[in-house]
Amino acid sequence: SGVAVAAATWTKLEITVNAAGTSASFFIDGVEADNSPITTNLPIANARFGLVNKIEKSAGTTARTFNIDYVKLVIALTSAR
């Protein structure tokens, strides 16, 4: 979503994609992000969704640590393919 989260704190991040794959909502600690939902640049044709976790720095050389305590992937199938 491009919304920054607080450093040095545990944060719960959630992404919810609608059944049609045309909208994605982003939540930070249960609160919807300011620029959510996103409705552009979503892969919907033969899409394969998965999880990618990374830190992407845009400036500076200070080292960063990215700790992941728990990951949950839920896929609610709404129709047979």
Side-chain angles (χ1 to χ4, degrees), residues 10-50:
W10 287 101
T11 304
K12 179 181 177 185
L13 303 174
E14 178 182 345
I15 303 169
T16 303
V17 180
N18 71 350
T22 58
S23 174
S25 296
F26 296 84
F27 297 85
I28 302 170
D29 290 329
V31 178
E32 192 167 8
D34 291 341
N35 63 346
S36 188
I38 304 284
T39 57
T40 58
N41 299 321
L42 297 173
I44 59 171
N46 298 317
R48 294 182 180 160
F49 291 95

Side-chain angles (χ1 to χ4, degrees), residues 45-81:
N46 298 317
R48 294 182 180 160
F49 291 95
L51 299 175
V52 175
N53 301 296
K54 69 177 183 173
I55 294 176
E56 185 172 316
K57 290 183 59 112
S58 60
T61 58
T62 305
R64 296 288 185 240
T65 301
F66 184 46
N67 298 313
I68 299 175
D69 182 51
Y70 178 81
V71 174
K72 178 180 178 181
L73 175 62
V74 176
I75 299 174
L77 302 176
T78 57
S79 63
R81 290 192 178 229

